[in-house]
Amino acid sequence: MSLLPCSCPLPCNKTKSECQTKSTHHQSESSTSSSLLSQPSLPLVPSLSSQPQSSSVDHECLATLKGHSSYVSSLAVSEKLLYIGSSNSEIRVWPRERRGYSPGADHDRNIIAIGNGAVKSLVILGDNLISAHQDQKIRVWKIIDENSRRDQKYKCVATLPTMNDRFTALFSRKSYVEVRRHKKCTWVHHVDAVSSLALSQDGSLLYSASWDKSFKIWRTSDFKCLESMEKAHDDAINAIVVTRDGFVYTGSADKKIKVWTKKDKKHSLVATLTKHLSAVNTLAVSEDGKVLYSGACDKSILVWERLTKEDDGVDEELLHMSVVGALRGHTKAILCLAVASDLVLSGSADKSLRVWRRGLMENEGYSCLAVLEGHTKPVKCLAVSVSDSDSDTSYSCMVYSGSLDLSVKVWNLRVSSI
């Protein structure tokens, strides 16, 4: 891997081999390609966004991390490290300090783990790195201190579903669910790519979404599968996010977003949000959980705000969220979203990133602070970290963007708070 200077401002009642074969191979490939296709925009949803206001933010591309042999499919950041998942199953790590980007760094040490199948999602839980893969598995890796790791790779300490989960489910007829016509598998298994991961606020639960149209809930203390929402959607689930107060949002290729919450020890459906005209590719929630952002192939980012029981006399349990408008500016499908402080960041098949901020237009609406360009192919994933404010008038954040052009770009943003 090298750095270039940046010039831009699961067992089942079938055989093992049958079970490991994609249950919906055609669907999976379709989901991948369709997420890049741009569809007609949303004509009836009002726009919330203004034109770019570059004077509100200073941005700089610090580095371009190159050397991947396949496209970058997922990113995660810890306090000191950047984790990069690729479509060829590799997971790499980079120190976040600028000196770690130097051309003289030992790039052979960057590959810390190799799974099976593309790395679709990454999350960090304490001293564990959790990865979701195209081969229908979730893997847990023990993080090794970078100062003493030398050339050691991270150790895989668990593969989900665990052996105990698989053995327990194997002999119970009630444990089998139909995954497609004339084929059943145990409920603890995903039978297609695991597309997205999310953690509960306290880190006690791990949520996994899959192209098999289901999502599952795992207890992180022993990684036991607690629950599976089968046929949660009519098509592949591409994204899952969880709010601080426990609401779960799933976005699907069926064009719908569904809202779930835990009742009587089980998750149940609260609402279905149906404004998008095409596959929902990505979701993000505000830090307080009151605003949901959804990106789709219809080129727009929809902004949803939580209803209260006082809003027009509507019962919050009935609708939960209401769309208030769209952020427009991208010219192709929205592929990734991230939220940090009062910023919303978006990556698109149009090869660009956009930085949005709420409340700059007479305390309403959103302003596009900047358009970050430099990738030569679609921007597939984003990660962001906010630095402590060093003044009353501004703060800074680091933004990492992964692309189909096999690179990761490192951006520094300084945002004015006035």
Side-chain angles (χ1 to χ4, degrees), residues 81-115:
L81 301 172
L82 167 67
Y83 294 95
I84 304 171
S86 299
S87 59
N88 66 348
S89 80
E90 293 178 349
I91 302 175
R92 295 176 182 256
V93 64
W94 279 83
R96 290 181 54 196
E97 296 90 344
R98 292 188 65 168
R99 62 182 176 82
Y101 304 144
S102 64
D106 183 1
H107 303 306
D108 291 337
R109 299 180 68 241
N110 284 83
I111 299 176
I112 56 168
I114 301 176

CSV table of all heavy atoms in Angstrom, one decimal, residues 81-115:
chain,number,residue,atom,x,y,z
A,81,LEU,N,-7.1,4.8,15.3
A,81,LEU,CA,-6.9,4.0,14.1
A,81,LEU,C,-8.0,4.1,13.1
A,81,LEU,O,-9.2,4.4,13.5
A,81,LEU,CB,-6.7,2.5,14.5
A,81,LEU,CG,-5.6,2.1,15.5
A,81,LEU,CD1,-5.7,0.7,15.9
A,81,LEU,CD2,-4.2,2.4,14.8
A,82,LEU,N,-7.7,3.9,11.9
A,82,LEU,CA,-8.7,3.8,10.8
A,82,LEU,C,-8.7,2.4,10.3
A,82,LEU,O,-7.6,1.9,9.9
A,82,LEU,CB,-8.3,4.8,9.7
A,82,LEU,CG,-9.0,4.7,8.3
A,82,LEU,CD1,-10.5,5.0,8.5
A,82,LEU,CD2,-8.4,5.5,7.3
A,83,TYR,N,-9.8,1.8,10.2
A,83,TYR,CA,-10.0,0.4,9.7
A,83,TYR,C,-10.6,0.5,8.3
A,83,TYR,O,-11.6,1.2,8.1
A,83,TYR,CB,-10.8,-0.5,10.6
A,83,TYR,CG,-10.1,-0.7,12.0
A,83,TYR,CD1,-10.4,0.1,13.1
A,83,TYR,CD2,-9.2,-1.7,12.1
A,83,TYR,CE1,-9.7,-0.1,14.3
A,83,TYR,CE2,-8.5,-2.0,13.3
A,83,TYR,CZ,-8.8,-1.2,14.4
A,83,TYR,OH,-8.2,-1.4,15.6
A,84,ILE,N,-10.1,-0.3,7.4
A,84,ILE,CA,-10.6,-0.3,6.0
A,84,ILE,C,-10.9,-1.7,5.5
A,84,ILE,O,-10.0,-2.6,5.6
A,84,ILE,CB,-9.5,0.3,5.0
A,84,ILE,CG1,-9.1,1.7,5.5
A,84,ILE,CG2,-10.0,0.4,3.6
A,84,ILE,CD1,-7.9,2.3,4.8
A,85,GLY,N,-12.1,-1.9,5.2
A,85,GLY,CA,-12.6,-3.2,4.6
A,85,GLY,C,-12.7,-3.1,3.1
A,85,GLY,O,-13.2,-2.1,2.6
A,86,SER,N,-12.3,-4.2,2.4
A,86,SER,CA,-12.3,-4.2,1.0
A,86,SER,C,-13.1,-5.3,0.4
A,86,SER,O,-13.5,-6.2,1.1
A,86,SER,CB,-10.9,-4.3,0.4
A,86,SER,OG,-10.0,-3.3,0.8
A,87,SER,N,-13.5,-5.2,-0.8
A,87,SER,CA,-14.3,-6.2,-1.5
A,87,SER,C,-13.6,-7.5,-1.7
A,87,SER,O,-14.2,-8.5,-2.1
A,87,SER,CB,-14.8,-5.6,-2.8
A,87,SER,OG,-13.7,-5.3,-3.7
A,88,ASN,N,-12.3,-7.6,-1.5
A,88,ASN,CA,-11.5,-8.8,-1.7
A,88,ASN,C,-11.3,-9.5,-0.3
A,88,ASN,O,-10.5,-10.4,-0.2
A,88,ASN,CB,-10.2,-8.6,-2.3
A,88,ASN,CG,-9.3,-7.7,-1.5
A,88,ASN,OD1,-9.7,-7.1,-0.5
A,88,ASN,ND2,-8.0,-7.7,-1.9
A,89,SER,N,-12.0,-9.1,0.7
A,89,SER,CA,-12.1,-9.7,2.1
A,89,SER,C,-11.0,-9.2,3.0
A,89,SER,O,-10.9,-9.6,4.2
A,89,SER,CB,-12.0,-11.2,2.0
A,89,SER,OG,-10.7,-11.7,1.8
A,90,GLU,N,-10.1,-8.3,2.6
A,90,GLU,CA,-9.0,-7.8,3.4
A,90,GLU,C,-9.5,-6.7,4.3
A,90,GLU,O,-10.4,-5.9,3.9
A,90,GLU,CB,-7.9,-7.3,2.6
A,90,GLU,CG,-7.1,-8.3,1.8
A,90,GLU,CD,-6.0,-7.8,0.9
A,90,GLU,OE1,-6.0,-6.5,0.8
A,90,GLU,OE2,-5.2,-8.5,0.4
A,91,ILE,N,-9.0,-6.7,5.5
A,91,ILE,CA,-9.2,-5.6,6.5
A,91,ILE,C,-7.8,-5.0,6.7
A,91,ILE,O,-6.9,-5.7,7.1
A,91,ILE,CB,-9.8,-6.0,7.8
A,91,ILE,CG1,-11.2,-6.6,7.5
A,91,ILE,CG2,-10.0,-4.8,8.7
A,91,ILE,CD1,-11.8,-7.2,8.7
A,92,ARG,N,-7.7,-3.7,6.5
A,92,ARG,CA,-6.4,-3.0,6.7
A,92,ARG,C,-6.6,-2.0,7.9
A,92,ARG,O,-7.7,-1.5,8.2
A,92,ARG,CB,-5.9,-2.3,5.5
A,92,ARG,CG,-5.6,-3.2,4.3
A,92,ARG,CD,-5.2,-2.5,3.1
A,92,ARG,NE,-5.0,-3.4,1.9
A,92,ARG,CZ,-3.7,-3.7,1.5
A,92,ARG,NH1,-2.7,-3.1,2.1
A,92,ARG,NH2,-3.6,-4.5,0.5
A,93,VAL,N,-5.4,-1.6,8.4
A,93,VAL,CA,-5.5,-0.5,9.5
A,93,VAL,C,-4.4,0.5,9.2
A,93,VAL,O,-3.3,0.2,8.6
A,93,VAL,CB,-5.2,-1.2,10.9
A,93,VAL,CG1,-3.8,-1.7,11.0
A,93,VAL,CG2,-5.5,-0.1,12.0
A,94,TRP,N,-4.8,1.8,9.5
A,94,TRP,CA,-3.9,2.9,9.4
A,94,TRP,C,-3.9,3.7,10.6
A,94,TRP,O,-5.0,3.9,11.2
A,94,TRP,CB,-4.3,3.8,8.2
A,94,TRP,CG,-3.8,3.3,6.9
A,94,TRP,CD1,-4.4,2.4,6.0
A,94,TRP,CD2,-2.7,3.8,6.2
A,94,TRP,NE1,-3.7,2.3,4.9
A,94,TRP,CE2,-2.6,3.1,4.9
A,94,TRP,CE3,-1.6,4.7,6.4
A,94,TRP,CZ2,-1.6,3.2,4.0
A,94,TRP,CZ3,-0.6,4.8,5.5
A,94,TRP,CH2,-0.6,4.1,4.3
A,95,PRO,N,-2.8,4.2,11.1
A,95,PRO,CA,-2.8,5.1,12.3
A,95,PRO,C,-3.4,6.4,11.8
A,95,PRO,O,-3.2,6.8,10.6
A,95,PRO,CB,-1.3,5.2,12.6
A,95,PRO,CG,-0.6,4.9,11.4
A,95,PRO,CD,-1.4,3.8,10.7
A,96,ARG,N,-4.1,7.1,12.6
A,96,ARG,CA,-4.8,8.3,12.2
A,96,ARG,C,-3.9,9.5,12.3
A,96,ARG,O,-4.2,10.6,11.7
A,96,ARG,CB,-6.1,8.6,13.1
A,96,ARG,CG,-7.2,7.6,12.8
A,96,ARG,CD,-8.4,7.9,13.6
A,96,ARG,NE,-8.8,9.2,13.5
A,96,ARG,CZ,-9.7,9.9,14.3
A,96,ARG,NH1,-10.1,9.2,15.3
A,96,ARG,NH2,-10.0,11.1,14.1
A,97,GLU,N,-2.8,9.4,13.0
A,97,GLU,CA,-1.8,10.5,13.0
A,97,GLU,C,-1.3,10.8,11.6
A,97,GLU,O,-1.1,9.8,10.8
A,97,GLU,CB,-0.7,10.3,13.9
A,97,GLU,CG,-1.0,10.2,15.4
A,97,GLU,CD,-1.4,8.7,15.7
A,97,GLU,OE1,-1.6,7.9,14.8
A,97,GLU,OE2,-1.4,8.4,16.9
A,98,ARG,N,-1.1,12.0,11.3
A,98,ARG,CA,-0.6,12.3,9.9
A,98,ARG,C,0.7,11.7,9.5
A,98,ARG,O,0.9,11.3,8.4
A,98,ARG,CB,-0.5,13.9,9.7
A,98,ARG,CG,-1.9,14.6,9.8
A,98,ARG,CD,-1.8,16.0,9.5
A,98,ARG,NE,-1.4,16.3,8.1
A,98,ARG,CZ,-1.4,17.4,7.5
A,98,ARG,NH1,-1.9,18.5,8.1
A,98,ARG,NH2,-1.0,17.6,6.2
A,99,ARG,N,1.6,11.4,10.5
A,99,ARG,CA,2.8,10.8,10.2
A,99,ARG,C,2.6,9.4,9.7
A,99,ARG,O,3.5,8.8,9.1
A,99,ARG,CB,3.8,10.8,11.4
A,99,ARG,CG,3.2,10.1,12.6
A,99,ARG,CD,4.2,10.2,13.8
A,99,ARG,NE,3.6,9.5,15.0
A,99,ARG,CZ,3.7,8.2,15.3
A,99,ARG,NH1,4.3,7.4,14.4
A,99,ARG,NH2,3.2,7.7,16.4
A,100,GLY,N,1.4,8.8,10.1
A,100,GLY,CA,1.2,7.4,9.7
A,100,GLY,C,0.9,7.3,8.2
A,100,GLY,O,0.9,6.2,7.6
A,101,TYR,N,0.7,8.5,7.6
A,101,TYR,CA,0.4,8.5,6.2
A,101,TYR,C,1.7,8.7,5.3
A,101,TYR,O,1.6,8.8,4.1
A,101,TYR,CB,-0.5,9.7,5.8
A,101,TYR,CG,-1.8,9.7,6.6
A,101,TYR,CD1,-2.4,10.9,7.0
A,101,TYR,CD2,-2.5,8.5,6.9
A,101,TYR,CE1,-3.6,10.9,7.6
A,101,TYR,CE2,-3.7,8.5,7.6
A,101,TYR,CZ,-4.3,9.7,8.0
A,101,TYR,OH,-5.4,9.7,8.6
A,102,SER,N,2.8,8.7,6.0
A,102,SER,CA,4.0,9.0,5.3
A,102,SER,C,4.4,7.9,4.3
A,102,SER,O,4.2,6.7,4.5
A,102,SER,CB,5.2,9.2,6.3
A,102,SER,OG,5.4,8.0,7.0
A,103,PRO,N,5.0,8.2,3.2
A,103,PRO,CA,5.4,7.2,2.2
A,103,PRO,C,6.3,6.2,2.7
A,103,PRO,O,6.4,5.1,2.2
A,103,PRO,CB,6.0,8.1,1.1
A,103,PRO,CG,5.4,9.5,1.2
A,103,PRO,CD,5.2,9.6,2.7
A,104,GLY,N,7.1,6.5,3.8
A,104,GLY,CA,8.0,5.6,4.3
A,104,GLY,C,7.4,4.5,5.3
A,104,GLY,O,8.2,3.7,5.8
A,105,ALA,N,6.1,4.6,5.5
A,105,ALA,CA,5.5,3.6,6.5
A,105,ALA,C,5.6,2.2,5.9
A,105,ALA,O,5.6,2.0,4.7
A,105,ALA,CB,4.0,4.0,6.7
A,106,ASP,N,5.6,1.2,6.8
A,106,ASP,CA,5.7,-0.2,6.4
A,106,ASP,C,4.3,-0.7,6.1
A,106,ASP,O,3.5,-1.1,6.9
A,106,ASP,CB,6.2,-1.0,7.6
A,106,ASP,CG,6.4,-2.5,7.2
A,106,ASP,OD1,6.1,-2.8,6.1
A,106,ASP,OD2,6.8,-3.3,8.1
A,107,HIS,N,3.9,-0.6,4.8
A,107,HIS,CA,2.6,-0.9,4.3
A,107,HIS,C,2.3,-2.4,4.4
A,107,HIS,O,1.1,-2.8,4.3
A,107,HIS,CB,2.4,-0.3,2.9
A,107,HIS,CG,2.6,1.1,2.8
A,107,HIS,ND1,2.0,2.0,3.7
A,107,HIS,CD2,3.5,1.8,2.0
A,107,HIS,CE1,2.4,3.3,3.4
A,107,HIS,NE2,3.3,3.2,2.4
A,108,ASP,N,3.3,-3.3,4.5
A,108,ASP,CA,3.0,-4.7,4.6
A,108,ASP,C,2.3,-5.0,5.9
A,108,ASP,O,1.7,-6.1,6.0
A,108,ASP,CB,4.3,-5.5,4.5
A,108,ASP,CG,4.9,-5.4,3.1
A,108,ASP,OD1,4.2,-5.2,2.1
A,108,ASP,OD2,6.2,-5.6,3.0
A,109,ARG,N,2.4,-4.2,6.9
A,109,ARG,CA,1.8,-4.4,8.2
A,109,ARG,C,0.3,-4.0,8.2
A,109,ARG,O,-0.4,-4.2,9.1
A,109,ARG,CB,2.5,-3.6,9.3
A,109,ARG,CG,4.0,-4.1,9.4
A,109,ARG,CD,4.7,-3.3,10.6
A,109,ARG,NE,4.1,-3.6,11.9
A,109,ARG,CZ,3.5,-2.8,12.7
A,109,ARG,NH1,3.4,-1.5,12.3
A,109,ARG,NH2,3.1,-3.1,13.9
A,110,ASN,N,-0.1,-3.3,7.1
A,110,ASN,CA,-1.5,-2.8,7.1
A,110,ASN,C,-2.6,-3.8,7.1
A,110,ASN,O,-3.6,-3.6,7.6
A,110,ASN,CB,-1.6,-1.8,5.9
A,110,ASN,CG,-1.0,-0.5,6.2
A,110,ASN,OD1,0.2,-0.4,6.0
A,110,ASN,ND2,-1.7,0.5,6.7
A,111,ILE,N,-2.3,-5.0,6.4
A,111,ILE,CA,-3.3,-6.0,6.4
A,111,ILE,C,-3.3,-6.8,7.7
A,111,ILE,O,-2.4,-7.4,8.1
A,111,ILE,CB,-3.0,-7.0,5.2
A,111,ILE,CG1,-3.0,-6.3,3.9
A,111,ILE,CG2,-4.1,-8.1,5.2
A,111,ILE,CD1,-2.7,-7.2,2.7
A,112,ILE,N,-4.4,-6.6,8.5
A,112,ILE,CA,-4.5,-7.2,9.8
A,112,ILE,C,-5.5,-8.4,9.9
A,112,ILE,O,-5.4,-9.2,10.8
A,112,ILE,CB,-5.1,-6.1,10.8
A,112,ILE,CG1,-6.4,-5.6,10.3
A,112,ILE,CG2,-4.0,-5.0,11.0
A,112,ILE,CD1,-7.1,-4.8,11.4
A,113,ALA,N,-6.3,-8.6,8.9
A,113,ALA,CA,-7.3,-9.7,8.9
A,113,ALA,C,-7.7,-10.0,7.5
A,113,ALA,O,-7.8,-9.1,6.6
A,113,ALA,CB,-8.5,-9.4,9.7
A,114,ILE,N,-8.0,-11.3,7.2
A,114,ILE,CA,-8.5,-11.7,5.9
A,114,ILE,C,-9.7,-12.7,6.2
A,114,ILE,O,-9.5,-13.7,6.8
A,114,ILE,CB,-7.5,-12.4,5.0
A,114,ILE,CG1,-6.3,-11.4,4.8
A,114,ILE,CG2,-8.1,-12.8,3.7
A,114,ILE,CD1,-5.2,-12.0,3.9
A,115,GLY,N,-10.9,-12.3,5.8
A,115,GLY,CA,-12.0,-13.2,6.0
A,115,GLY,C,-12.4,-13.9,4.7
A,115,GLY,O,-11.5,-14.3,4.0
